[in-house]
Amino acid sequence: MPSKPKPTPYWDYIKVEPLLALQTGIGAQEDELSNDEVMFIVVHQIDELWFKLVLREMVAVRNLFARVPVPEQALASAVRGIRRMETILRQLAAHFELMETMTTRDYLAFRDKLTGASGFQSAQMREIEIIMGLAEAERVPLGHEGSYQKALEQHDGTESPSLRRVRARLADVPTLRDAMIEWIHRTPIQGSTPSQPDDAQRVRAFVEAYLDAHRRMVERGLAGAREQALTEADKKRLEERARGEVASARAYLLAEDVAEPERARASRVRAALVFIESYRELPLLAWPREVLDGLTTFEQAFVIFRQRHARMVERMIGRRTGTGGSAGVDYLDTTALRYRVFRELWAVRTLLVRAQDLPPLENAAAYGFAGGT
């Protein structure tokens, strides 16, 4: 007879006792610490556990979209993973409210213990940025160091576990952004795919038709604004703004800001984003649109997390230098403003038009369109 499985107690499965023994900081005993310091440690330990879950979900989503082709039946699962990533970041931002129950003087009582330490040294936070696809050239330096990796070295200059973790993640390619861009590039536009010989011409025809619809929308808005303008100078200003809007839309969809070798590819990616957003009710595009919206919401949650972090730090310590030698609040504010990965997903919203103004859909059957209202 097979032996009966041994029951597993909750405390063994969760590793409760080892977990509760980890809040001593640099001391030998937790009893040596104030409640404020224990709270500070617990919150940051929980943050690291949340980061661990974000990384797992992000890698799973990245691996899915790195497949060619991406199985359509897996998109719902990808959206769930992305939504979970966003939910975790919202939970992380909520932790700052708990931190704010501590006064500045409470924090200063143990802040000196953190000299040389900084949240910047969170390897998992850097890993999330790496997997997302944050470009190395866009990174904001913590202080005087030439590379953010320098801040992850041991104080004697040797490699730390955090640095090893980050270097391993840098070798883990593609990034989520790169995988997503590859997937978006393959989007059928008016039934045409990149493998078809006339794809470039058909995509350009869609872009021109869409830009014409966008121009008409801008002109409608200008006509209404002109009627309410008080002076000729106001009318001239509105006309210049409208011309700029039309010109910017054309430059963006034709990827005039991208170097010539990559321009056609970037233009197709941007056209695909417009196409997915514009015809999102079609069965084949419904889940891709949910993926794109989920990624935008996730990055928005990341920006809010960074901004909330900055406001908590400013409330706690003002604008003094950070414990790790950073510019403190100024550094946090700068990263919140500058760190964007999925820029195309945000930019496309400026170009969207009403459903009734869209160019006629071609090859509707290719998108599982069954007609009806």
Side-chain angles (χ1 to χ4, degrees), residues 252-372:
Y252 184 75
L253 280 183
L254 296 182
E256 292 178 1
D257 58 312
V258 177
E260 183 63 40
E262 294 295 323
R263 185 170 297 167
R265 181 179 184 79
S267 178
R268 194 186 200 287
V269 167
R270 295 173 184 183
L273 289 170
V274 167
F275 192 83
I276 292 169
E277 286 285 353
S278 298
Y279 303 98
R280 62 195 186 202
E281 292 82 7
L282 300 177
L284 191 67
L285 301 182
W287 277 113
R289 197 271 170 175
E290 287 297 307
V291 169
L292 301 181
D293 192 59
L295 285 173
T296 306
T297 306
F298 167 65
E299 186 156 51
Q300 180 182 17
F302 213 163
V303 171
I304 291 171
F305 166 77
R306 293 186 192 276
Q307 292 171 331
R308 186 68 180 86
H309 187 192
R311 299 289 70 77
M312 183 275 291
V313 171
E314 185 175 16
R315 175 172 170 171
M316 294 297 301
I317 64 170
R319 291 189 171 268
R320 70 185 76 198
T321 302
T323 51
S326 75
V329 172
D330 289 340
Y331 166 79
L332 295 172
D333 277 335
T334 302
T335 60
L337 289 171
R338 285 178 48 180
Y339 282 7
R340 295 292 182 92
V341 173
F342 302 108
R343 295 180 184 275
E344 295 89 346
L345 306 189
W346 294 89
V348 72
R349 283 157 167 72
T350 308
L351 311 178
L352 298 182
V353 303
R354 302 181 307 177
Q356 59 264 44
D357 295 332
L358 291 171
L361 178 68
E362 300 175 10
N363 298 299
Y367 301 94
F369 185 61

Side-chain angles (χ1 to χ4, degrees), residues 11 45 56 115 122 190 254 335 351:
W11 50 87
Q45 288 178 341
R56 289 183 64 91
T115 300
S122 168
Q190 296 290 41
L254 296 182
T335 60
L351 311 178

Side-chain angles (χ1 to χ4, degrees), residues 4 51 64 140 167 177 196 209 220 328 355:
K4 186 177 180 180
F51 289 157
L64 170 64
V140 178
R167 285 176 172 168
R177 173 186 161 77
Q196 295 176 228
R220 275 197 314 272

Side-chain angles (χ1 to χ4, degrees), residues 129-179:
E129 294 167 348
I130 291 166
I131 285 290
M132 280 183 72
L134 179 66
E136 296 293 292
E138 293 181 0
R139 285 194 176 276
V140 178
L142 175 68
H144 59 80
E145 78 288 341
S147 165
Y148 72 98
Q149 295 185 46
K150 186 72 176 174
L152 299 177
E153 292 179 351
Q154 301 281 16
H155 293 307
D156 61 2
T158 58
E159 188 180 58
S160 68
S162 292
L163 184 54
R164 284 195 295 273
R165 180 182 288 274
V166 165
R167 285 176 172 168
R169 191 62 72 183
L170 284 166
D172 182 16
V173 293
T175 66
L176 176 58
R177 173 186 161 77
D178 288 345

